[in-house]
Amino acid sequence: MPVEETYLKTFYIETFGCQMNAHDSEKVVGTLLREGYSQVVDEADAGLILYNTCSIRDKAEQKVFHRLNEYKRMQGEGKKFAVLGCVAQQEGNKIFERAPYVSLVAGSASYRNLPEMLARLEAGETRITGLDDRQTDETFDTEFTARTNPHRGYITIIEGCDKFCSYCVVPYTRGKERSRTSASVLAEAQRIAQMGFTEIQLLGQNVNSYLDPSSKRSFAELLAAVGEVNGIKRVRFTTSHPRDFTKDIVDAIDAVPTLCDHVHLPVQSGSTDVLRAMQRDYTRDWYLERIAWTKAARRDISLTSDIIVGFPGETDRDFEDTITLLETVGYDAIYGFKYSPRPNTPAIHMHDSIPEDVKVARLAILNARQREIQRENYGRHLDQTVEVMVEHGANSRGQITGRSTQNKTVNFMCDSTPPPGSYIDVRITQVFPSSLVGEAISVPTVPSPALAAQQALNARVPVVH
Ligand code: 5AD
Ligand code: SF4
């Protein structure tokens, strides 16, 4: 089959993992478009297939190799393949051994070199690597970011992680911690606002340890400044580490109305002994003190968390400490995970002592208890009026879906079909353990024409699934 220039310059991207990965893909797409590539919806039409991978849990590597095997059948079509993200960084050159038809393997800390790597790819080079391995001090700042989320503009403020929790691959796959300047973050926030977005989410593996390399501005100061950007109505941030979570973050939320009433503060375990083994560098009491600050705020700040069950050595008593912590905090949502040993991490050398059936049972107990807590928490919203930002059009029951400032899902009936990005007041008529149901009681706001144009563009080429 003749391989034409136009075909070679088409790409298809598939993304797995967290919001950081989703946003990295937005930046990669922006960079590719800038380099003259065009995006296609169907992998069959693409000259270049990119696969942005995640290795946080489970047998991620195996899944990637399995997917690459499926790509194999397409190699005769003149296609080129690139593996990006955490599995790329983790497995490195091994990917070429197991999937020789892959031409480019790059971890996130080397994406700033993508234009140069693409040029080498176009010149016919194979086995191109971008494997930074905690060397770089640079961040991937690019003005060419494709904004594919229809209602939210993401901004990375800090890359990498220096915390080295004993179970976690991130410090090895995303490199060392490096903050962007607040001037560049604010310039990006302004650009996003001009595009018509009213919601911004600040991203980083540990946003709380943000420190402007030039002005020394702290995370709380940056957060407040982003909240004051003209046109911005909602600012979210993720993810926080309790060790660096300072009271001025709560004060900023109290002082700046656009900052959302939500803090995601992963605790991982309620047992101080397990926290020590996890190298989390705080105790249960230290964590609860941060929770107390948040609950003492004037605003009703919703709290959510990540929890790992079955960490090596976790006793029934330790697990019970996690359950009592859930009850003490009263989270509005948790993401519970079974511990999974990850390559390169210190915990891989600990005996993975908790049998799978015990992990499964503990996760089920955790989720069941949390569901009861949420049933109670969500109950207080009955008859309240909440402002909702619309995220999706009508579902099969004719309900529109959006979110409250607390990040709670609200499904509601409305006479019109307000587009993603509009705001509307909803009176809550029914509550469930993880969603609210209601009726629109105001006329929806009209998103800016710039946002509508952006959404129309993205609807043709969805990037992230
Ligand atoms: N096993 C289980 N869960 C993990 N997480 C990170 N690494 C592991 C692992 N090895 C969870 C943590 C983290 C979330 C993003 O994923 O709870 O906060
Ligand atoms: Fe992983 Fe801990 Fe860093 Fe979070 S703070 S990315 S859990 S090492």
Side-chain angles (χ1 to χ4, degrees):
M1 179 203 271
V3 180
E4 308 212 351
E5 169 82 6
T6 47
Y7 171 71
L8 286 179
K9 285 229 150 188
T10 49
F11 73 95
Y12 173 84
I13 187 165
E14 202 166 66
T15 307
F16 293 87
C18 61
Q19 278 154 328
M20 291 284 282
N21 251 20
H23 182 47
D24 279 349
S25 283
E26 290 187 328
K27 293 196 256 185
V28 168
V29 169
T31 306
L32 282 157
L33 296 175
R34 152 111 178 130
E35 296 299 315
Y37 283 73
S38 54
Q39 189 176 8
V40 294
V41 199
D42 191 341
E43 58 191 0
D45 301 330
L48 172 62
I49 295 185
L50 304 114
Y51 190 25
N52 190 2
T53 61
C54 164
S55 65
I56 193 87
R57 284 177 299 272
D58 308 320
K59 301 190 167 39
E61 314 68 57
Q62 269 139 280
K63 280 187 222 154
V64 170
F65 285 118
H66 183 78
R67 186 78 181 104
L68 286 176
N69 244 343
E70 289 170 15
Y71 286 160
K72 202 169 165 184
R73 63 181 160 79
M74 296 193 264
Q75 61 178 316
E77 298 165 21
K79 291 187 194 305
K80 296 189 178 187
F81 301 94
V83 182
L84 307 178
C86 292
V87 176
Q89 181 66 47
Q90 184 182 296
E91 300 295 305
N93 284 302
K94 275 191 251 163
I95 294 180
F96 297 131
E97 309 303 325
R98 289 188 55 180
Y101 42 92
V102 170
S103 306
L104 170 68
V105 172
S108 64
S110 62
Y111 292 165
R112 66 189 186 289
N113 302 325
L114 261 180
E116 179 244 332
M117 292 192 273
L118 288 169
R120 288 167 57 197
L121 192 70
E122 285 165 28
E125 229 181 286
T126 54
R127 298 197 159 213
I128 304 161
T129 54
L131 300 169
D132 209 279
D133 201 23
R134 297 191 66 80
Q135 296 305 312
T136 190
D137 287 322
E138 313 237 348
T139 52
F140 181 32
D141 283 15
T142 170
E143 283 184 31
F144 309 103
T145 302
R147 299 281 167 192
T148 53
N149 185 302
H151 49 83
R152 181 184 292 163
Y154 291 108
I155 306 181
T156 310
I157 62 166
I158 179 167
E159 292 179 25
C161 182
D162 286 347
K163 282 283 180 282
F164 291 96
C165 300
S166 62
Y167 52 81
C168 186
V169 283
V170 168
Y172 311 92
T173 58
R174 285 190 166 270
K176 67 180 173 194
E177 211 168 81
R178 52 226 189 263
S179 295
R180 285 172 65 185
T181 64
S182 51
S184 76
V185 171
L186 288 168
E188 188 168 350
Q190 273 146 10
R191 278 200 302 275
I192 286 176
Q194 278 154 15
M195 289 168 87
F197 288 94
T198 58
E199 179 175 341
I200 284 178
Q201 182 154 355
L202 303 179
L203 294 176
Q205 296 302 332
N206 177 10
V207 288
N208 306 145
S209 64
Y210 175 85
L211 187 66
D212 185 318
S214 48
S215 75
K216 302 295 169 209
R217 207 175 217 171
S218 70
F219 173 63
E221 289 165 335
L222 176 69
L223 184 64
V226 172
E228 269 148 20
V229 168
N230 217 349
I232 295 304
K233 282 179 63 114
R234 285 186 174 185
V235 182
R236 304 186 181 280
F237 56 93
T238 195
T239 191
S240 289
H241 192 297
R243 182 73 223 174
D244 303 318
F245 188 84
T246 45
K247 185 160 177 306
D248 56 0
I249 299 170
V250 179
D251 296 340
I253 297 176
D254 255 346
V256 182
T258 51
L259 305 186
C260 285
D261 291 351
H262 175 214
V263 170
H264 181 63
L265 195 61
V267 67
Q268 313 297 358
S269 170
S271 152
T272 295
D273 288 344
V274 174
L275 289 171
R276 192 179 305 111
M278 287 177 164
Q279 290 167 209
R280 289 290 285 177
D281 214 13
Y282 56 83
T283 61
R284 177 188 173 100
D285 288 346
W286 164 285
Y287 180 84
L288 287 175
E289 190 182 6
R290 270 106 206 113
I291 295 294
W293 296 339
T294 312
K295 286 188 174 175
R298 281 188 298 278
R299 291 173 55 181
D300 181 12
I301 301 176
S302 171
L303 286 157
T304 58
S305 193
D306 294 346
I307 294 196
I308 298 175
V309 297
F311 189 76
E314 184 189 65
T315 61
D316 285 341
R317 175 70 203 273
D318 291 322
F319 177 62
E320 188 52 34
D321 285 347
T322 298
I323 297 292
T324 60
L325 185 111
L326 292 191
E327 290 158 356
T328 307
V329 178
Y331 293 113
D332 278 335
I334 59 159
Y335 301 90
F337 308 106
K338 288 179 291 172
Y339 167 69
S340 90
R342 302 280 64 220
N344 307 321
T345 60
I348 193 108
H349 304 296
M350 300 175 190
H351 173 49
D352 184 14
S353 56
I354 312 299
E356 178 64 14
D357 58 338
V358 176
K359 288 183 186 171
V360 169
R362 287 184 183 168
L363 188 60
I365 295 169
L366 183 88
N367 286 333
R369 184 67 193 103
Q370 178 59 26
R371 204 174 156 80
E372 289 166 29
I373 292 169
Q374 282 175 219
R375 193 181 294 284
E376 210 176 297
N377 284 359
Y378 278 52
R380 73 174 187 279
H381 293 296
L382 197 63
D383 292 329
Q384 277 183 355
T385 297
V386 296
E387 187 188 49
V388 174
M389 191 228 235
V390 174
E391 296 195 348
H392 302 288
N395 63 17
S396 55
R397 272 179 268 153
Q399 290 171 321
I400 314 286
T401 300
R403 266 171 213 277
S404 69
T405 171
Q406 291 191 331
N407 209 36
K408 289 181 178 149
T409 299
V410 183
N411 298 310
F412 61 97
M413 299 303 286
C414 182
D415 293 340
S416 59
T417 306
S422 48
Y423 292 82
I424 191 161
D425 288 336
V426 173
R427 198 177 68 82
I428 304 303
T429 54
Q430 242 186 318
V431 292
F432 293 99
S434 50
S435 66
L436 304 170
V437 172
E439 285 159 11
I441 56 163
S442 72
V443 177
T445 59
V446 180
S448 85
L451 186 65
Q454 181 72 31
Q455 288 170 354
L457 193 73
N458 292 333
R460 283 188 287 131
V461 259
V463 186
V464 175
H465 68 101

